[in-house]
PDB file of all heavy atoms in Angstrom:
ATOM      1  N   SER K1583      11.562 -12.033   3.478  1.00 98.00           N
ATOM      2  CA  SER K1583      11.195 -12.819   2.299  1.00 98.00           C
ATOM      3  C   SER K1583      10.146 -13.809   2.623  1.00 98.00           C
ATOM      4  O   SER K1583       9.089 -13.895   1.818  1.00 98.00           O
ATOM      5  CB  SER K1583      12.441 -13.547   1.645  1.00 98.00           C
ATOM      6  OG  SER K1583      13.473 -12.594   1.362  1.00 98.00           O
ATOM      7  N   GLU K1584      10.293 -14.509   3.716  1.00 98.00           N
ATOM      8  CA  GLU K1584       9.289 -15.596   4.091  1.00 98.00           C
ATOM      9  C   GLU K1584       8.001 -14.907   4.373  1.00 98.00           C
ATOM     10  O   GLU K1584       6.906 -15.478   4.164  1.00 98.00           O
ATOM     11  CB  GLU K1584       9.836 -16.454   5.241  1.00 98.00           C
ATOM     12  CG  GLU K1584      11.005 -17.325   4.742  1.00 98.00           C
ATOM     13  CD  GLU K1584      10.634 -18.486   3.807  1.00 98.00           C
ATOM     14  OE1 GLU K1584       9.440 -18.707   3.523  1.00 98.00           O
ATOM     15  OE2 GLU K1584      11.569 -19.146   3.289  1.00 98.00           O
ATOM     16  N   ALA K1585       8.012 -13.794   5.056  1.00 98.00           N
ATOM     17  CA  ALA K1585       6.780 -13.082   5.358  1.00 98.00           C
ATOM     18  C   ALA K1585       6.039 -12.645   4.051  1.00 98.00           C
ATOM     19  O   ALA K1585       4.870 -12.810   3.910  1.00 98.00           O
ATOM     20  CB  ALA K1585       7.021 -11.886   6.223  1.00 98.00           C
ATOM     21  N   ALA K1586       6.793 -12.194   3.089  1.00 98.00           N
ATOM     22  CA  ALA K1586       6.211 -11.788   1.827  1.00 98.00           C
ATOM     23  C   ALA K1586       5.587 -13.050   1.091  1.00 98.00           C
ATOM     24  O   ALA K1586       4.473 -12.944   0.528  1.00 98.00           O
ATOM     25  CB  ALA K1586       7.278 -11.174   0.895  1.00 98.00           C
ATOM     26  N   LEU K1587       6.341 -14.136   1.024  1.00 98.00           N
ATOM     27  CA  LEU K1587       5.813 -15.348   0.511  1.00 98.00           C
ATOM     28  C   LEU K1587       4.565 -15.845   1.177  1.00 98.00           C
ATOM     29  O   LEU K1587       3.603 -16.354   0.562  1.00 98.00           O
ATOM     30  CB  LEU K1587       6.874 -16.395   0.389  1.00 98.00           C
ATOM     31  CG  LEU K1587       8.115 -16.159  -0.533  1.00 98.00           C
ATOM     32  CD1 LEU K1587       9.215 -17.098  -0.209  1.00 98.00           C
ATOM     33  CD2 LEU K1587       7.703 -16.214  -1.918  1.00 98.00           C
ATOM     34  N   CYS K1588       4.615 -15.658   2.495  1.00 98.00           N
ATOM     35  CA  CYS K1588       3.450 -16.152   3.270  1.00 98.00           C
ATOM     36  C   CYS K1588       2.184 -15.327   3.032  1.00 98.00           C
ATOM     37  O   CYS K1588       1.167 -15.882   2.810  1.00 98.00           O
ATOM     38  CB  CYS K1588       3.890 -16.040   4.823  1.00 98.00           C
ATOM     39  SG  CYS K1588       2.613 -16.620   5.940  1.00 98.00           S
ATOM     40  N   LEU K1589       2.329 -13.982   2.956  1.00 98.00           N
ATOM     41  CA  LEU K1589       1.162 -13.217   2.581  1.00 98.00           C
ATOM     42  C   LEU K1589       0.688 -13.446   1.200  1.00 98.00           C
ATOM     43  O   LEU K1589      -0.581 -13.436   0.924  1.00 98.00           O
ATOM     44  CB  LEU K1589       1.527 -11.743   2.752  1.00 98.00           C
ATOM     45  CG  LEU K1589       1.549 -11.167   4.207  1.00 98.00           C
ATOM     46  CD1 LEU K1589       1.760  -9.588   4.128  1.00 98.00           C
ATOM     47  CD2 LEU K1589       0.283 -11.419   4.955  1.00 98.00           C
ATOM     48  N   ALA K1590       1.652 -13.741   0.261  1.00 98.00           N
ATOM     49  CA  ALA K1590       1.212 -13.881  -1.163  1.00 98.00           C
ATOM     50  C   ALA K1590       0.602 -15.246  -1.405  1.00 98.00           C
ATOM     51  O   ALA K1590      -0.234 -15.365  -2.295  1.00 98.00           O
ATOM     52  CB  ALA K1590       2.487 -13.635  -2.029  1.00 98.00           C
ATOM     53  N   LEU K1591       1.077 -16.297  -0.710  1.00 97.00           N
ATOM     54  CA  LEU K1591       0.748 -17.634  -1.132  1.00 97.00           C
ATOM     55  C   LEU K1591       0.052 -18.558  -0.136  1.00 97.00           C
ATOM     56  O   LEU K1591      -0.617 -19.488  -0.537  1.00 97.00           O
ATOM     57  CB  LEU K1591       2.135 -18.352  -1.428  1.00 97.00           C
ATOM     58  CG  LEU K1591       2.992 -17.696  -2.532  1.00 97.00           C
ATOM     59  CD1 LEU K1591       4.222 -18.528  -2.619  1.00 97.00           C
ATOM     60  CD2 LEU K1591       2.269 -17.605  -3.834  1.00 97.00           C
ATOM     61  N   ASP K1592       0.060 -18.129   1.162  1.00 98.00           N
ATOM     62  CA  ASP K1592      -0.472 -19.035   2.169  1.00 98.00           C
ATOM     63  C   ASP K1592      -1.968 -18.682   2.675  1.00 98.00           C
ATOM     64  O   ASP K1592      -2.436 -17.654   2.372  1.00 98.00           O
ATOM     65  CB  ASP K1592       0.415 -19.075   3.442  1.00 98.00           C
ATOM     66  CG  ASP K1592       1.777 -19.605   3.221  1.00 98.00           C
ATOM     67  OD1 ASP K1592       2.039 -20.170   2.066  1.00 98.00           O
ATOM     68  OD2 ASP K1592       2.690 -19.419   3.992  1.00 98.00           O
ATOM     69  N   ASP K1593      -2.441 -19.702   3.314  1.00 96.00           N
ATOM     70  CA  ASP K1593      -3.846 -19.578   3.825  1.00 96.00           C
ATOM     71  C   ASP K1593      -3.712 -18.948   5.218  1.00 96.00           C
ATOM     72  O   ASP K1593      -3.376 -19.628   6.287  1.00 96.00           O
ATOM     73  CB  ASP K1593      -4.472 -20.908   3.901  1.00 96.00           C
ATOM     74  CG  ASP K1593      -5.983 -20.759   4.455  1.00 96.00           C
ATOM     75  OD1 ASP K1593      -6.530 -19.661   4.451  1.00 96.00           O
ATOM     76  OD2 ASP K1593      -6.464 -21.883   4.832  1.00 96.00           O
ATOM     77  N   ASN K1594      -3.890 -17.612   5.331  1.00 98.00           N
ATOM     78  CA  ASN K1594      -3.638 -16.857   6.597  1.00 98.00           C
ATOM     79  C   ASN K1594      -4.994 -16.450   7.251  1.00 98.00           C
ATOM     80  O   ASN K1594      -6.074 -16.478   6.629  1.00 98.00           O
ATOM     81  CB  ASN K1594      -2.793 -15.627   6.338  1.00 98.00           C
ATOM     82  CG  ASN K1594      -1.405 -15.984   5.835  1.00 98.00           C
ATOM     83  OD1 ASN K1594      -0.682 -16.501   6.598  1.00 98.00           O
ATOM     84  ND2 ASN K1594      -1.091 -15.660   4.593  1.00 98.00           N
TER      85      ASN K1594
END
Side-chain angles (χ1 to χ4, degrees):
S1583 299
E1584 292 292 351
L1587 293 168
C1588 187
L1589 282 185
L1591 304 175
D1592 294 350
D1593 184 15
N1594 294 297

